[in-house]
Amino acid sequence: MMKKMIFTSSLMWSLTLFAQGKAEQALKIFEEKYPQEKIHLLFDKKSYVAGENLWFKSFIYTGYEPTSVSTSLFVELYDSNKTLLDKKMIPLLNGEGNGNFALPENMKENVYYIRAYTTWSTNFSEEFQAIRSVEVYNPSSPEKLMIDTASGWNVTLHPESGTFIDQINTKFAVRLHSKGQKPLNWKGYITELARPDVKLTSFKGFDENIGSFKLTPELGKKYQLTVEDDKGKKQTVDLPEVISAGINLQMESSPEAIKYSLVSKNMGTESQTYTILGTINDQIVYKAKLNTLSDKIYTIPTEKLVNGILQLSIFNEKDDLLLQRMCFIQPKHLQVKKAELSKISFNGASRSQNIFNITNSIDSPNYTVLVLNGDSKSTEDENSFLSTLLLTGDISTDLESPARYFRKDSDADALDAVLISEKWKRYDWKMIMAGSYPMIKNKTEPYISYKGKVTLSGKPAANTDLNLIFSMPDNGTKFYQIKTDQSGFFALHGLMFEDSIKFSYQLNDPKIPKEQVQVIFQPNYSYIPLRGALPRSYYTLQPRTPEDQTSPEVIKYTEAKNMYKVINEKATLIEEVKIIKQKKNLTKKLNDELSSLTFKNSNEVIFDFVNDINAGSYMNILDYLQGRVAGLQMQKQGFDVTATFRGAPISIFLDEMPASPSQISSLPSSDVAMIKVIRGYFVGGTGGNTNGAIAIYTKRGGVSGNIDNSSKPTNLKQITLKGYDKEIAFSNPDYSNESFKNISKDTRTVLYWNPFLEIQPKEPVKVEFYNNDETKDYRVIIIGYDSNSFLPVYYDNVLKP
């Protein structure tokens, strides 16, 4: 993706390319050492009633690629007083994670907030952590939520590139701000203070956020903006003072190019050189020098640039930042891959089955799929995956429904006006050019990490072997040996487990009494308190009266909540699901029997040769993996096979011992019990391996690391470590099963939720769900990314039977 962003300036504009300057060097350091993460949250619904489950999916990106920096996400639930109500820690696989919050039955009706952040993101401004508001309704609550229409609004003015110069036609952005609901319809006009009855120019607001106008000022005159909403409320704002000399940077985005010019007046006759840097995220994609100022229009072709915010920064010979301006690259030609649906079988009848396939023409590891009633609202309506990735993930701003700027009917002029009114906040040129970079206080760790200290009779056990004996549910008992340092410390990195794990410990010397050995553990991660304020809310609380009627939406949510109780208490799986589940359980059981804790990773692909696969036709067992794992490549040279994952060599293990391809080539396929492809960091990696592994387990190899005497750990000291928070499974009724026939009323608005629909190569991706009693149309939302180009995959459409 980064290669696609790079644009090399040529000499076609008579601009001189130059050596790397101070600003470019500073940004290169920032890009390499301080990658910036964007966090997007998708909820299964936009609002809830007390007692429901709130399911969420997270997407974390650095630039325009799934993050490779963080492997854990912290998600917190706050009330409107900033009281922390609940918190979760979830694993990230290719930058994605999912979980849920169980909302208490007695939760008061109010606006609540979901905050998501990584350890790495806490080193930077809290503005770029994800904080999303969510309305929770409760008809039994003494107060009710009402949209705030009473709060006033105010106006701010933003001249293009920040200058307002005599006789230079200048574009202004007009921005509305409010603690409550902003007016949708509003307009404005410009007058001279000396002639208030003469309108120099008029305009209408594009939307609740922004409007724009152009004005050519005269020196010595003062101007005023008057804004009026559809209710007759007015506000006046003075325009900046007109200056006699300066430069105005003007930009325009077209499908073919970004056009810019430096329009100046009274800048003197002294020779001056201006440096122009164009940046996307933290990368310089354009650079040039100007030796003279003129009204000439320069162009930056967009064919090699990705969609996103391009910022032009103008420096003088002293490296002083003079001007900045942002614009969006090809806003009407988004480079987004759209999921294609096939074999659509929709039936509008009550409780009927619906099926569609997602055409597997995109190299994506998985999709997030959400199916709602056709008229249902989603959190994607306000801030979508695309608007986070392309706008609000980099511009911390108070915008009403920024998702609007990336729909088919979006207004490119409105988006341009938004960017005129904003500043790039990921870094400050003056700070980084002065060598002042963010202070990294919180270092990221791979998945779950613990640090520990071993003492023997109260003194540090230096350079000592410690045996950890793990007991995991349905996973038997296994051991892992570690060595302390000179101070008795050790660390466990890259652990991947849910809920908790119990283990016993002892020194490797059995002669040392266990009473003399003490091990203290401390997690290498922590929840970081929120320092800043919560975002504003569009709602206020008012006393509930006996005459108040519960809204139809809340009634449906309540009925659906009660229906889910019936499902969870009485539902039984049909025989086909039992078979599928049994098959999956057999594979899980095999993986648990064969894999030690250090070779477990949630980002793994398992091939079960005991219960599922017949590999008898493969001479070399590595041949079987070709084309079956995205990013994994096998290359043959004679009888040898070498393996790479996303271009880098990947380690090979046989029964969890390092092995060479020649060893594997002589292994009969009939002896293979399981192959596991681990993608990314794992504890069992050697030599700092972070690219993953191919782990092959033989039938004769047995269980690696098993303890023959399962009662032995009970005689040792024990301790429990906390793992990731386990998600409550999302369930839906299966009306092909008689057990669901007793459901009296089905008013679900969420018909299907799968935050991690895994894709198997060369196999159709099928989605199946059942109607409620009312749905006629279906809103289908699909989110993913292409593993090759890293272009986003996005689909949000309403489909009819």
Side-chain angles (χ1 to χ4, degrees):
M1 188 67 167
M2 305 306 284
K3 291 181 180 179
K4 189 176 182 182
M5 290 174 58
I6 294 173
F7 172 77
T8 303
S9 175
S10 68
L11 299 178
M12 63 174 63
W13 314 292
S14 297
L15 300 179
T16 306
L17 294 179
F18 54 97
Q20 193 177 70
K22 187 175 182 180
E24 190 173 0
Q25 291 173 355
L27 188 57
K28 185 175 180 61
I29 293 173
F30 187 85
E31 176 194 4
E32 292 177 349
K33 295 186 177 182
Y34 308 97
Q36 303 291 290
E37 291 181 323
K38 311 174 189 181
I39 303 174
H40 179 68
L41 289 177
L42 168 69
F43 301 158
D44 65 310
K45 295 195 300 179
K46 186 180 182 298
S47 56
Y48 299 83
V49 294
E52 283 192 294
N53 269 301
L54 182 158
W55 278 277
F56 62 85
K57 174 66 183 282
S58 61
F59 304 86
I60 295 83
Y61 275 63
T62 49
Y64 301 115
E65 299 180 10
T67 185
S68 58
V69 177
S70 299
T71 53
S72 296
L73 183 73
F74 302 91
V75 189
E76 300 171 342
L77 174 64
Y78 290 86
D79 67 11
S80 58
N81 295 319
K82 216 174 93 171
T83 301
L84 180 62
L85 304 178
D86 199 358
K87 58 185 180 182
K88 307 283 184 180
M89 182 174 69
I90 62 174
L92 296 175
L93 310 177
N94 297 318
E96 299 181 17
N98 50 277
N100 76 286
F101 286 103
L103 306 178
E105 287 281 357
N106 61 350
M107 202 172 200
K108 291 183 179 180
E109 182 163 321
N110 208 338
V111 174
Y112 294 84
Y113 296 87
I114 306 292
R115 174 196 180 206
Y117 59 93
T118 64
T119 298
W120 181 251
S121 70
T122 60
N123 294 299
F124 309 100
S125 171
E126 283 186 340
E127 292 178 298
F128 298 104
Q129 296 175 16
I131 303 181
R132 301 288 178 261
S133 63
V134 58
E135 303 93 58
V136 177
Y137 295 93
N138 187 345
S140 301
S141 187
E143 293 181 303
K144 62 181 180 180
L145 283 173
M146 298 291 292
I147 295 178
D148 181 4
T149 58
S151 294
W153 48 265
N154 65 292
V155 178
T156 55
L157 268 172
H158 308 269
E160 184 173 22
S161 76
T163 58
F164 193 37
I165 305 166
D166 178 39
Q167 299 301 318
I168 295 180
N169 189 253
T170 304
K171 184 177 182 180
F172 276 82
V174 182
R175 187 79 170 264
L176 291 193
H177 307 271
S178 176
K179 292 182 179 179
Q181 193 175 43
K182 301 173 186 174
L184 178 59
N185 298 307
W186 58 282
K187 58 186 177 181
Y189 58 88
I190 310 300
T191 58
E192 285 184 47
L193 263 64
R195 298 188 301 162
D197 296 329
V198 180
K199 296 181 180 179
L200 302 179
T201 186
S202 301
F203 67 95
K204 289 185 177 181
F206 295 115
D207 50 49
E208 301 100 310
N209 300 309
I210 203 75
S212 71
F213 67 88
K214 287 186 176 182
L215 183 69
T216 302
E218 293 183 36
L219 191 65
K221 292 185 177 181
K222 296 184 178 180
Y223 302 90
Q224 192 173 67
L225 164 69
T226 300
V227 174
E228 181 178 7
D229 66 17
D230 53 1
K231 294 181 180 179
K233 180 187 174 181
K234 289 186 178 181
Q235 185 177 132
T236 58
V237 180
D238 291 337
L239 270 67
E241 183 178 351
V242 182
I243 59 177
S244 60
I247 308 172
N248 184 241
L249 169 60
Q250 301 179 356
M251 294 181 70
E252 180 184 348
S253 179
S254 69
E256 296 79 22
I258 298 292
K259 301 177 182 179
Y260 75 93
S261 60
L262 296 173
V263 185
S264 64
K265 186 174 182 181
N266 297 331
M267 290 302 293
T269 58
E270 292 183 8
S271 177
Q272 178 70 266
T273 300
Y274 298 93
T275 300
I276 300 100
L277 295 181
T279 57
I280 301 177
N281 282 309
D282 308 329
Q283 185 181 11
I284 293 178
V285 298
Y286 172 82
K287 54 184 179 179
K289 276 192 176 181
L290 281 176
N291 295 319
T292 58
L293 290 174
S294 67
D295 294 347
K296 184 177 179 180
I297 297 175
Y298 304 100
T299 59
I300 306 174
T302 56
E303 60 181 6
K304 294 183 181 180
L305 298 179
V306 297
N307 294 128
I309 298 171
L310 173 70
Q311 178 178 230
L312 281 191
S313 303
I314 314 300
F315 300 87
N316 64 14
E317 291 178 338
K318 298 179 181 179
D319 288 324
D320 297 324
L321 179 64
L322 303 179
L323 301 167
Q324 283 184 295
R325 163 76 152 96
M326 295 184 294
C327 73
F328 198 86
I329 299 166
Q330 295 183 319
K332 302 298 290 184
H333 298 80
L334 295 182
Q335 300 171 37
V336 177
K337 292 198 172 185
K338 185 176 180 180
E340 297 182 3
L341 274 54
S342 62
K343 296 185 179 180
I344 301 174
S345 177
F346 285 167
N347 188 332
S350 172
R351 308 190 184 192
S352 61
Q353 187 182 34
N354 298 282
I355 301 173
F356 66 84
N357 285 356
I358 304 175
T359 303
N360 196 5
S361 59
I362 299 172
D363 186 8
S364 180
N366 64 275
Y367 290 124
T368 297
V369 182
L370 171 62
V371 182
L372 302 162
N373 280 354
D375 59 353
S376 292
K377 296 179 180 179
S378 167
T379 52
E380 289 294 289
D381 297 331
E382 296 180 354
N383 197 11
S384 68
F385 174 68
L386 294 181
S387 61
T388 298
L389 187 64
L390 301 174
L391 181 65
T392 59
D394 294 311
I395 303 298
S396 175
T397 183
D398 175 25
L399 280 176
E400 183 85 19
S401 301
R404 75 173 84 232
Y405 301 116
F406 301 97
R407 297 177 185 139
K408 289 181 180 179
D409 58 349
S410 64
D411 191 327
D413 291 332
L415 176 58
D416 188 60
V418 167
L419 292 178
I420 288 176
S421 70
E422 287 288 345
K423 290 184 178 180
W424 188 263
K425 297 181 181 179
R426 285 293 191 180
Y427 57 84
D428 181 275
W429 277 115
K430 293 181 180 179
M431 294 288 287
I432 65 174
M433 289 171 67
S436 178
Y437 293 96
M439 182 178 295
I440 303 302
K441 297 180 180 179
N442 304 314
K443 295 184 178 181
T444 186
E445 294 281 351
Y447 295 105
I448 298 176
S449 298
Y450 280 87
K451 54 186 176 183
K453 183 176 183 179
V454 182
T455 57
L456 181 59
S457 299
K459 297 180 180 179
N463 304 314
T464 302
D465 292 325
L466 178 72
N467 294 329
L468 299 180
I469 306 171
F470 294 86
S471 299
M472 301 184 69
D474 303 321
N475 195 20
T477 305
K478 302 179 181 182
F479 72 88
Y480 179 52
Q481 190 176 88
I482 57 177
K483 194 176 189 68
T484 64
D485 64 14
Q486 292 182 352
S487 301
F489 289 101
F490 67 92
L492 293 175
H493 297 288
L495 299 176
M496 175 70 71
F497 61 96
E498 291 182 329
D499 291 336
S500 61
I501 181 173
K502 294 181 180 180
F503 66 86
S504 306
Y505 60 86
Q506 67 174 8
L507 293 186
N508 203 33
D509 187 351
K511 297 178 182 178
I512 300 176
K514 66 178 182 180
E515 290 79 13
Q516 297 180 11
V517 181
Q518 181 69 40
V519 179
I520 300 174
F521 275 94
Q522 183 178 346
N524 254 348
Y525 63 87
S526 61
Y527 292 86
I528 307 298
L530 177 64
R531 299 186 301 273
L534 293 168
R536 67 182 175 88
S537 168
Y538 303 113
Y539 293 86
T540 61
L541 283 173
Q542 296 183 6
R544 193 184 302 274
T545 66
E547 293 76 24
D548 288 333
Q549 299 294 316
T550 305
S551 70
E553 183 180 45
V554 172
I555 292 174
K556 287 183 179 181
Y557 284 0
T558 304
E559 291 173 343
K561 178 186 69 173
N562 295 331
M563 184 202 74
Y564 275 117
K565 290 182 180 179
V566 175
I567 293 175
N568 294 331
E569 290 173 0
K570 299 182 178 180
T572 55
L573 296 175
I574 60 173
E575 191 63 27
E576 180 182 353
V577 175
K578 284 183 179 178
I579 295 172
I580 294 173
K581 185 176 181 182
Q582 181 184 20
K583 181 178 174 182
K584 289 184 178 179
N585 282 343
L586 288 173
T587 298
K588 181 180 182 300
K589 182 180 178 182
L590 181 68
N591 184 30
D592 291 341
E593 288 176 350
L594 297 179
S595 301
S596 67
L597 182 68
T598 58
F599 273 74
K600 278 188 172 293
N601 189 303
S602 58
N603 196 9
E604 60 186 23
V605 181
I606 297 172
F607 300 94
D608 181 352
F609 291 86
V610 175
N611 305 297
D612 189 27
I613 300 168
N614 181 6
S617 60
Y618 290 89
M619 296 295 293
N620 188 324
I621 196 63
L622 293 178
D623 291 344
Y624 173 82
L625 296 177
Q626 183 65 43
R628 286 181 165 83
V629 179
L632 182 66
Q633 296 292 327
M634 300 296 172
Q635 297 179 344
K636 262 194 169 184
Q637 293 181 347
F639 293 101
D640 288 334
V641 179
T642 58
T644 59
F645 183 65
R646 291 184 176 170
I650 187 170
S651 302
I652 299 175
F653 294 84
L654 182 62
D655 292 327
E656 300 193 353
M657 296 295 291
S660 65
S662 60
Q663 288 177 275
I664 305 304
S665 64
S666 61
L667 177 67
S669 59
S670 58
D671 286 351
V672 175
M674 182 181 75
I675 299 179
K676 178 191 296 190
V677 179
I678 302 173
R679 297 175 288 197
Y681 180 90
F682 72 108
V683 183
T686 57
N689 183 297
T690 60
N691 200 45
I694 299 173
I696 301 171
Y697 296 85
T698 64
K699 294 174 182 177
R700 62 174 179 242
V703 178
S704 176
N706 262 15
I707 302 297
D708 294 332
N709 183 0
S710 60
S711 65
K712 183 178 179 180
T714 62
N715 298 322
L716 306 176
K717 287 188 175 182
Q718 292 187 337
I719 197 168
T720 300
L721 297 183
K722 186 184 182 304
Y724 288 112
D725 290 282
K726 191 172 184 179
E727 180 186 21
I728 297 175
F730 186 91
S731 59
N732 271 333
D734 178 0
Y735 287 119
S736 66
N737 187 347
E738 290 294 325
S739 301
F740 292 90
K741 300 299 184 183
N742 61 350
I743 294 176
S744 59
K745 194 171 185 179
D746 185 348
T747 58
R748 291 169 298 132
T749 55
V750 181
L751 303 177
Y752 182 87
W753 166 260
N754 193 333
F756 197 87
L757 181 57
E758 193 168 1
I759 299 172
Q760 296 298 332
K762 303 177 183 178
E763 293 183 14
V765 182
K766 182 180 288 188
V767 175
E768 300 179 67
F769 62 93
Y770 286 85
N771 280 357
N772 57 23
D773 292 334
E774 301 174 344
T775 296
K776 301 300 179 184
D777 302 334
Y778 309 94
R779 182 177 179 181
V780 179
I781 299 174
I782 302 172
I783 303 175
Y785 69 93
D786 187 292
S787 299
N788 294 320
S789 64
F790 291 107
L791 289 176
V793 177
Y794 196 76
Y795 183 96
D796 186 354
N797 282 311
V798 175
L799 304 178
K800 299 180 182 295

